[in-house]
Amino acid sequence: MTENQEKLLNNHPCFSNKPGNLGRIHLPVSPACNLGCRFCSRVLNDTERRPGVTSKVVTPEESIGILKKALKICPDIKVVGIAGPGDTLATDTALETFSLVDKEFPQLLKCMSTNGLLLDEKAEKVIESKIDSLTVTVNAVDPEIEAQLNKFIIYHGKQYDALDGAKILIENQLNGIRKVAASGITVKVNTVLVPRINGSHIEKIAKTISSLGATLYNIIPLIPTFELKDEKIPFCFEIEEARKIAGKHIDVFRHCNRCRADAVGVPGVSEFSKEVYSDDLILSDTFSHG
């Protein structure tokens, strides 16, 4: 186990086997997304408990004040994460925020989630940001399968439809994972399990990402919404079977809470997002594809 992995194991609720007193805050600083995921519905509200949802979008500068407030309310916070509501590499706001966090709170772990479309070309910037862990959502390593889950990408100002976009996305994801993992940053991969579409593809994903240096795999059951609203929620046995198959090739993460993009507190124990993201600051309330 590397020093980085040991630090994550002891302090990060997504990596620890005993996450009960480990807090985290998600800073919703990423306003734009560059994928058209068929299962993703990004909204602004205070009620839904799922990824892609936040009450507000904040700037990097505003996020420091929010973080100070959060630490007073929840001293258990050990991790600063950025996971949306858009993609963290579609704009520079996430990397700018991590730079500010590193100066103000060097003791806190930093983790970032991305769809990986721009990970290959921005790998060096990601490494230079001094994050401790990176999560990449890889729903397929076969373009034919990915095209059923994602209807388009926006890449360097041009929109590519499902299949052509899937080819670009997968290549950039895999190259980016290899580069970041080689730097010593711990890489976790998420896959949204849609049994009818990628259920039989899980083992190939697990083998591929493990060979590239990813060390943890999180298989997340689909929340049926948007264009996949009529898909069935995976049964418990389907989730467990997928995890069992993947576990032959890579360590599998089993206690995901599918956190909001503005989550604050100890996962499954406390939630302070409403208290922290109050109207004390002038905040932006829009985000878009870009």
Side-chain angles (χ1 to χ4, degrees):
M1 181 183 297
T2 66
E3 182 179 348
N4 175 261
Q5 290 172 330
E6 185 174 1
K7 185 167 60 172
L8 290 167
L9 185 64
N10 292 329
N11 295 282
H12 198 307
C14 290
F15 292 85
S16 176
N17 293 323
K18 298 179 181 179
N21 65 341
L22 302 177
R24 51 64 178 117
I25 180 171
H26 285 177
L27 299 174
V29 299
S30 298
C33 193
N34 43 23
L35 296 190
C37 295
R38 299 182 190 274
F39 54 77
C40 181
S41 176
R42 294 181 299 120
V43 296
L44 299 174
N45 66 45
D46 292 316
T47 55
E48 293 183 76
R49 299 295 172 189
R50 61 175 176 81
V53 179
T54 181
S55 59
K56 296 178 175 74
V57 178
V58 304
T59 67
E61 293 75 19
E62 290 167 342
S63 68
I64 297 303
I66 288 170
L67 182 49
K68 290 177 179 178
K69 183 177 181 181
L71 288 167
K72 290 181 180 179
I73 295 173
C74 182
D76 288 329
I77 290 174
K78 303 288 194 301
V79 181
V80 176
I82 303 179
D87 184 64
T88 51
L89 295 179
T91 64
D92 292 330
T93 53
L95 297 178
E96 291 172 3
T97 301
F98 282 130
S99 178
L100 295 174
V101 170
D102 190 57
K103 292 176 182 177
E104 293 275 347
F105 305 97
Q107 77 280 12
L108 296 177
L109 294 175
K110 299 178 293 298
C111 69
M112 181 170 73
S113 298
T114 178
N115 60 39
L117 177 60
L118 297 176
L119 185 57
D120 185 16
E121 63 198 71
K122 292 192 175 184
E124 288 305 316
K125 290 184 178 180
V126 170
I127 294 166
E128 292 169 0
S129 72
K130 299 180 182 179
I131 63 171
D132 298 280
S133 67
L134 176 72
T135 296
V136 186
T137 298
V138 179
N139 293 318
V141 293
D142 180 335
E144 296 284 350
I145 296 174
E146 175 65 31
Q148 298 176 63
L149 298 169
N150 180 33
K151 60 181 179 179
F152 67 83
I153 68 169
I154 298 172
Y155 187 55
H156 295 308
K158 180 179 178 180
Q159 180 168 317
Y160 295 83
D161 291 335
L163 186 57
D164 288 338
K167 293 174 182 177
I168 295 169
L169 174 62
I170 292 169
E171 180 178 5
N172 290 354
Q173 288 174 329
L174 302 187
N175 287 338
I177 289 171
R178 181 188 295 108
K179 290 178 180 179
V180 175
S183 77
I185 293 173
T186 298
V187 177
K188 174 168 70 75
V189 168
N190 286 354
T191 293
V192 177
L193 177 63
V194 187
R196 182 183 66 83
I197 298 174
N198 65 356
S200 61
H201 188 54
I202 295 298
E203 185 167 18
K204 186 173 182 180
I205 299 173
K207 284 182 179 179
T208 302
I209 60 174
S210 178
S211 72
L212 298 173
T215 56
L216 190 62
Y217 191 27
N218 182 22
I219 299 170
I220 306 171
L222 172 74
I223 300 175
T225 187
F226 197 43
E227 292 189 1
L228 297 188
K229 66 183 184 300
D230 295 326
E231 290 289 334
K232 293 181 179 179
I233 298 174
F235 291 106
C236 290
F237 78 86
E238 291 175 312
I239 300 168
E240 188 56 36
E241 181 63 21
R243 289 171 174 169
K244 181 180 178 181
I245 290 171
K248 295 188 295 183
H249 308 285
I250 189 171
D251 286 341
V252 174
F253 176 57
R254 294 176 178 271
H255 52 269
C256 180
N257 282 269
R258 297 191 289 197
C259 301
R260 288 168 55 102
D262 60 358
V264 182
V266 178
V269 177
S270 61
E271 181 52 56
F272 300 106
S273 59
K274 289 184 180 179
E275 291 87 343
V276 170
Y277 290 100
S278 66
D279 293 327
D280 294 343
L281 301 170
I282 299 174
L283 304 172
S284 169
D285 62 358
T286 61
F287 57 94
S288 64
H289 286 278

